[in-house]
Amino acid sequence: MGLFRNDPQTVRLESHDIDLNATRAPWSLWADGFGRLAIRAIQIIVVVAVAGGIIFAIQQLTVVTIPLVIALILACAFAPVMGWMRHRGVPSVLATVITLLTIVLILSGIGWLIVWAVQDQWDELYAQAQDGIADVIEWVQTLPFFDAVAQQLDDVIGTVTDFLTSAQFGSGALAGVGAVANFATGLVLMVTILFFFLKDGPQMWEFLLRPFRGESYLRAERIGDKTVTVLGSYVRGTATVAFVDAVGILIGLLILQVPLAIPLAVLVFLLAFIPIVGATVAGILAALVALVANGPVNALFVVAVVVLVNQLEGDFLQPVLMGRTMKLHAFVVLVALTVGTVLGGIVGAVLAVPITAAVWGAVTVWDGPNLPARWARAKHPAEA
């Protein structure tokens, strides 16, 4: 036994095992549950830092990123039209010009309709607003605490007057001019990018897919097709729902003889692209106009019309027109709206939901055409 222990080869093996264990000892700290948790925490911190850097860069380049995203969404919405014209032999440039002219005509028609209706009914609404405000002031004067309210009104008027005559208001006006210039720049850039997306979108996507091979290429191709489908379905479905909402509310406002019915209906159409919040804001504005112009009873009828139209939209139109393409829980929509509003204001609120839907669509085809990523698969039959 002693000879065996003193064998040189055995000694070398034992020393080798000792060195190997000494080498592995520090790494064993990461092998237990707490070590794995620490590794995951470091990974999460890295991911959050990278995401924060990307968001910061996007916020610094909004003049480029926002037109780029809007152009991408519009290109996805009109992709079926472009495909239909290409299949019928229409040259790509001609199909792109026709599509762009259609978009410009639609947007110009909406703008002209708003301006015409406001100009046509502004004098009447102004006179009715004066009468309504006078009635409100007369009613306030009958309240027992009128003196305190009057003092507060005088303070507010004085504050507004001081602001309008201050240098801060002048700097704000200059900032407004700068915002208009940025908007014009972004609009021109968006139209230019949209032109190339419509004309050369498939070729541009194939160029981006060149670095991928095998399963990675197939996955990227699935994600691209799913993104185009989701974004296009969102825009077309939301536009259809918004149009039906606007027509329904327009009919109700015309029956109730509410001023500015057409601009309010157009506003309903535009705000419908902000889920949950948009319909509420549009209803409040319509009710306020009815309250100032026609009184509280008429305003209550307007509220009833808005609620009825929104119920029809939520229970019938959206499930039929959008189906499972936009299958997002209301909680997810609300969180996406909040984050989008904080990061990008109104534009962020409009873009948050379609971007979230596109991301979830990519997850649902990650491992196959109808096979979500492993972590996103339903674990119980009731969740499928």
Side-chain angles (χ1 to χ4, degrees), residues 243-274:
F243 178 77
V244 175
D245 285 353
V247 171
I249 291 178
L250 175 62
I251 294 173
L253 296 179
L254 292 175
I255 293 174
L256 296 172
Q257 297 181 350
V258 177
L260 300 178
I262 295 178
L264 287 173
V266 174
L267 192 62
V268 168
F269 175 82
L270 296 177
L271 290 177
F273 285 88
I274 305 178

Side-chain angles (χ1 to χ4, degrees), residues 14 19-20 32 78 102 108 149 152 171 175 179 182 185 212 226 240 247 281 304 346 348:
E14 290 177 351
D19 293 338
L20 185 61
D32 59 356
F78 287 91
T102 303
S108 300
V149 174
Q152 291 180 352
S171 61
N182 288 336
T185 303
F212 298 95
K226 189 67 174 180
T240 305
V247 171
V281 173
I346 296 177

Side-chain angles (χ1 to χ4, degrees), residues 44-61:
I44 292 172
I45 291 173
V46 172
V47 171
V48 170
V50 172
I54 294 174
I55 292 173
F56 177 77
I58 290 174
Q59 288 180 327
Q60 300 303 311
L61 299 172

